[in-house]
Amino acid sequence: MGMVDMNFLKSIPGILLMAEIFVGLLVWALIASTSYTSHPAYGWVLFVSVTLWLLSIALFVVLLLRLYERLPSVPWPLVLLVFYVVAAVLYVTAFLADAVTVPGQWSAWHGHLGASAFFAIVVTLLYGASSYFAYLDWRGQGQNAAASTVPV
């Protein structure tokens, strides 16, 4: 209990979670570096990206340090499935809000906002892939080392 799970770092779900944290950081950092208050849609994008970034970091710590073992009554495969599906859905809305509000003509922040929209769809796809592996784990099909997020 409480030991670092190096196998998680090498697993597909572990790599996806690290990528989600990194790309999610790019999404909100690119928007935060602009005059994002000029359009209310960016408030939603920032809310989604920062909230999911923080929750993903917390989840990463829980999985890396195997803290889930201390709460065996929690249905972790289902919790992960719900988290990843909700994250993917929220990021679809954030991506759409981000993409449609990128200014049509060149502005000082055009590149930052366009890049944030690009990374928003990338992280959406990452959360979608994590949803798939969490689904396999929840259904009990992901019993190999590469696909299992939470060993039972």
Side-chain angles (χ1 to χ4, degrees), residues 92-151:
V92 165
T93 67
F95 160 71
L96 292 172
D98 195 348
V100 300
T101 50
V102 172
Q105 69 274 13
W106 187 89
S107 70
W109 307 114
H110 185 83
H112 288 80
L113 297 172
S116 70
F118 170 77
F119 288 119
I121 194 61
V122 170
V123 77
T124 300
L125 295 172
L126 289 168
Y127 279 118
S130 288
S131 299
Y132 172 73
F133 285 103
Y135 173 75
L136 291 181
D137 196 39
W138 175 69
R139 294 294 295 166
Q141 298 168 4
Q143 296 306 317
N144 62 36
S148 182
T149 307
V150 180

